[in-house]
Amino acid sequence: MSKKVYCSAQFLPKPGKEKALFKVLQSLEPNTLREDGCIQYIVTRHITSPFAEGNSFPIAFNEIWADMASFEAHCQRQEISDFFATYCQAEDGLAEDWNVCIYTDEPEDFDAPQL
C-alpha cells in the first residue's frame, strides 16, 4: 500500500500582492524541507503555455509527504499555522483565497500486498 500523500496548496494573492506572497511562501521551504516526512515542498508560480490552458490560482505549493501523519504534523507546526493566520485569514493578509487538497497515488480498490 502506498503511504505517500500528495498535496496541492494553491493561493490567490490580493491584487498587487503576488510577489510579496510568493516571497513569504518561499520562506517556508527551508524549515519544511527539514521535516523527516517531507519528500518535496516547492512553491511555484503559474506560467502560460498553449499546452496547459487550465484554470488555477497563480501560486501553488507542490508537496509530497511520506505519509498522512507527516502531512498532518506539518500542518500543525507553529510556523505553518502562523502563516495561515497572518497571510490568509487576517483581514490585511496577502491572500484573497487559498485551496489546499491532498491526494493518493493508490487506486481506490488496490489489492495491496500484505507484508
Side-chain angles (χ1 to χ4, degrees):
M1 177 170 148
S2 175
K3 293 181 181 180
K4 289 181 185 170
V5 173
Y6 301 82
C7 177
S8 172
Q10 295 186 359
F11 298 89
L12 176 63
K14 289 181 178 174
K17 302 297 182 184
E18 185 170 343
K19 286 183 183 179
L21 181 57
F22 190 82
K23 186 173 183 174
V24 170
L25 289 166
Q26 280 184 310
S27 75
L28 299 175
E29 288 179 338
N31 284 338
T32 299
L33 290 167
R34 287 184 178 94
E35 294 179 47
D36 286 337
C38 181
I39 297 170
Q40 175 179 296
Y41 193 78
I42 302 170
V43 65
T44 61
R45 59 182 190 78
H46 185 259
I47 57 176
T48 59
S49 168
F51 300 100
E53 296 179 342
N55 296 317
S56 74
F57 290 166
I59 299 173
F61 259 112
N62 293 285
E63 308 172 24
I64 303 174
W65 295 92
D67 51 36
M68 185 66 79
S70 298
F71 170 75
E72 291 178 349
H74 163 74
C75 294
Q76 295 175 60
R77 284 187 49 237
Q78 191 64 50
E79 183 178 31
I80 301 305
S81 60
D82 287 350
F83 163 78
F84 278 98
T86 303
Y87 298 103
C88 297
Q89 297 163 337
E91 189 67 32
D92 61 345
L94 300 174
E96 184 174 313
D97 199 1
W98 57 95
N99 184 33
V100 179
C101 298
I102 58 172
Y103 305 88
T104 180
D105 59 1
E106 184 177 295
E108 189 171 346
D109 295 321
F110 181 58
D111 62 338
Q114 300 298 316
L115 302 176

